[in-house]
Structures are given as C-alpha cells and as structure tokens.
C-alpha cells in the first residue's frame, strides 16, 4: 500500500508498505483523508526529534475495516476521526480526566508497519495517517457521522481539537473576554473560531501575511494586525487582552504574547519551537497575576471533544470545510509540503 515515509533524511511516497492486523483493543482504519500539519514538517526538519524510519501523518479520518478483540464502540464500516492520544485509560492522569498527560502515551512509538522485505517502521503520533491503512488503539478511533466529508473530518483530530480545546478546555475563555491570536494557520484559525463560539467580545488576529485577513475574519476575528505590536494592540485593547494564544512557535512571539496581557491575563503556548528553545519575560509583570500556560493537544478528552466538534459542524457553528484550502493525492506529498511550508494554505489535505 501507499504511504509517506521519512527515512531520517528525506520524506517520500512509497508503495510497498504493509501493516499488521489489529490486536486486542485495536482498530484498523482505511484512511480516506489526512491533513498535513506543521508537526509533520517539524519531524522532517528536526524540530521534533523522532526515530526513523517512520510513517508520517497524525491528522486523519477514515472507515473502520476491522477491530480487535474487546473493541465494541466501533464496528467495520463506521466512519471515524483519529485522535493522536493513545492513552491507556488506567493511569492516574487518565483517571483524573487528563488523557493528554498519560505517560504511557508519550515517547513510546510502536512499529506496526513494515516495508516489503521486513524492514520495520515507526508510527508517528500513534497514528501515521499518511498511509492507506493504519492501526490505532480503540480509544483513538472516534465515531463520527458518515455525512461529514472525509477531507473535513480529517482535520478534527489535530488542528481543530488543539485550537478549540486550547480555548474551551485550557484557557476557559468566557463570554465577553478579549483574545489575541498570534498566527492564523490551521491551529490559529481554530483558536479564533473557538473564541467566537465561546462568546469572546474582541478577537484580534495577528499574522505577517496580510492575505490571511479575509479568512481570519471569516472564522471570527473582529480585528486583524500584521504584527503583534503592543501599541497597535492597545489601540484596540487599551488595558491588554484577557487571553493571548501563541500559535507560531517563536520565542520572541511568546514574549509578545505575555506583554500583551491585561492583569490576570493568560498566555497560552500552542506553537512548537525547537525542543531546546528558551523564552524570556519580565518576572515583575507576572505579579499582576498573569499566567503562562502550556497546552498539549487542546487539553482534550478526544472521545468527548471530537464527537462534540462533529456535532457543532452539523449544526453549522463550527467551520471545517472552510479550513481545507487544497486537496492533493498522496503522490503529490512534496507539493503539499512545500505549500504548507510557505504558508500558501490554511490546511492542505492528502487523499487516498
């Protein structure tokens, strides 16, 4: 079968992938579509260290082909969106309702794939959605209505759940709050629409690409700025913002997010800088009850949240189709990656 493999030096499309059958508590999914997220590019450029060779992709949707023993919540033929959180369900963090913090779901990639001839390959983010078929834990397969297009449903399991969850679960933005969103790529647009759905009164989108203003406003931005300039933001929010979301992954922008906060404000970090990157801020500013919050995967509960976002889409409240700038057959992965790298798309989606 076809898939995108990174061998430690370059990513390329191969056609000799094989995947094992599902074991107990696992699901085999025929992938219909997969979003290309910057995290995939970050594996290729080394920003996210990951063992190779690896089958890339972590944002996808498809149809259940087979289930292993003990799986009852999905059956063959069900449409599912894939979560990257392969949480165990039994540890202390899972018991506290924090599956994104499950220690058994981080840093222990499996090798369910092989190349013809037997070479094993790692699975990226417990998903590897850039393959015609993949194996996931049952908890990662979230049933969704069959009427949602695969190209739209594919985006729920990463970009949507991360951006929306950062707003609703981590920051807990409330009606009347004010929000600054730095970076209007796939994650930033979902932060914007999460803030809109939460009832934020002012949503300032910041992006150095002026061509992104129209889509930012479509998703709910009330204002658009080309830079996170403190003076420009304070013309809109004289006291600063209740919440600032950094969605780019640059340490200078993290500092700006902190500086843009009002008293008791929160800076939420969603962008992914290099693993060794360090950021700085004025310690004295933190005594105004400011907070800097990390956020992994929208602090989500995927089985609950992905189903909720699918329902919000059906009700016309959540934009999914509008996130898909362009679709590509998997053979055009190189073109899709180049478009994503240069910011030509909000989300490119690979199809099989």
């Amino acid at each position: 079968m076809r898939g995108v493999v990174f061998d430690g030096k370059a990513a390329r499309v191969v056609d000799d992938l094989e995947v094992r059958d599902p074991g107990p508590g696992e699901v085999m999914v025929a992938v219909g579509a997969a979003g290309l997220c910057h995290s995939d590019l970050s594996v290729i450029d080394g920003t996210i260290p990951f063992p190779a060779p690896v089958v890339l992709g972590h944002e996808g949707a498809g149809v259940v082909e087979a289930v292993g023993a003990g799986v009852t919540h999905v059956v063959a033929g069900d449409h599912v969106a894939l979560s990257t959180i392969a949480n165990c369900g039994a540890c202390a963090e899972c018991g506290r309702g924090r599956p994104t913090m499950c220690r058994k779901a981080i840093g222990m990639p499996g090798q369910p794939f092989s190349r013809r001839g037997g070479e094993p390959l790692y699975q990226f983010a417990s998903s590897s959605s850039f393959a015609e078929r993949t194996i996931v834990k049952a908890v990662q397969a979230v049933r969704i209505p069959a009427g949602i297009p695969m190209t739209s449903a594919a985006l729920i399991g990463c970009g949507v759940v991360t951006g929306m969850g950062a707003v609703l679960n981590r920051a807990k933005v409330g009606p009347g709050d004010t929000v600054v969103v730095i970076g209007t790529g796939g994650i930033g647009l979902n932060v914007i629409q999460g803030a809109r759905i939460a009832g934020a009164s002012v949503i300032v989108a910041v992006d150095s690409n002026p061509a992104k203003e129209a889509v930012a406003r479509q998703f709910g931005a009330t204002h658009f700025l080309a830079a996170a300039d403190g003076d420009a933001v304070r013309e809109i929010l004289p006291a600063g913002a209740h919440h600032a979301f950094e969605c780019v992954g640059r340490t200078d922008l993290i500092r700006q997010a902190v500086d843009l906060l009002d008293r008791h404000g929160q800076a939420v970090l969603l962008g992914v800088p290099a693993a060794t990157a360090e950021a700085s801020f004025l310690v004295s500013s933190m005594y105004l009850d400011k907070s800097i919050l990390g956020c992994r995967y929208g602090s989500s509960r995927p089985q609950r949240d992905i189903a909720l976002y699918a329902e919000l889409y059906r009700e016309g409240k959540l934009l999914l189709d509008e996130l898909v700038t362009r679709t590509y057959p998997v053979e055009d992965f190189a073109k899709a990656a180049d478009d994503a790298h240069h910011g030509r798309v909000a989300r490119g989606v690979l199809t099989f």
Side-chain angles (χ1 to χ4, degrees), residues 10 27 30 40 60 73 86 94 111 114-115 118 129 137 141 202 217 225 237 245 253 264 304 308 315 317 341 343:
V27 177
D40 299 298
H73 76 289
C94 288
Q111 293 180 301
S114 61
R115 299 286 298 278
S129 57
K137 282 189 174 181
V202 177
R217 290 186 179 275
L225 298 173
L237 300 170
F245 296 83
L253 296 179
H264 202 69
R304 177 198 68 179
L308 168 63
E315 294 173 359
K317 298 175 182 177
H341 176 70

Side-chain angles (χ1 to χ4, degrees), residues 95-233:
R96 295 186 181 102
R98 302 170 184 165
T100 61
M101 294 295 106
C102 175
R103 286 178 171 83
K104 294 185 178 180
I106 302 172
M108 294 178 284
Q111 293 180 301
F113 297 95
S114 61
R115 299 286 298 278
R116 194 172 298 139
E119 179 191 12
L121 293 93
Y122 288 100
Q123 185 172 38
F124 180 52
S126 303
S127 302
S128 290
S129 57
F130 293 171
E132 289 186 77
R133 290 176 182 81
T134 190
I135 294 289
V136 297
K137 282 189 174 181
V139 72
Q140 296 176 254
V142 184
R143 187 168 55 196
I144 58 173
I148 302 179
M150 284 289 177
T151 50
S152 298
L155 306 185
I156 301 177
C158 179
V160 174
V161 78
T162 298
M164 290 281 294
V167 173
L168 302 178
N169 300 329
R170 189 66 169 124
K172 300 186 186 302
V173 174
D177 284 359
T178 59
V179 173
V180 173
V181 182
I182 302 173
T184 60
I187 299 298
L189 289 176
N190 282 295
V191 172
I192 289 170
Q193 71 171 335
R196 168 179 55 80
I197 290 170
S201 59
V202 177
I203 305 171
V204 181
V206 180
D207 201 291
S208 59
N209 184 353
K212 293 187 176 182
E213 179 173 0
V215 69
R217 290 186 179 275
Q218 180 184 19
F219 274 71
T222 59
H223 301 76
F224 185 91
L225 298 173
D229 177 80
D231 291 338
V233 171

Side-chain angles (χ1 to χ4, degrees), residues 255 258-259 263 281-290:
R255 169 61 183 271
V258 174
D259 289 345
R263 298 180 180 192
F281 56 90
L282 288 175
V283 175
S284 59
S285 73
M286 305 308 291
Y287 298 117
L288 295 174
D289 281 3
K290 294 183 181 182

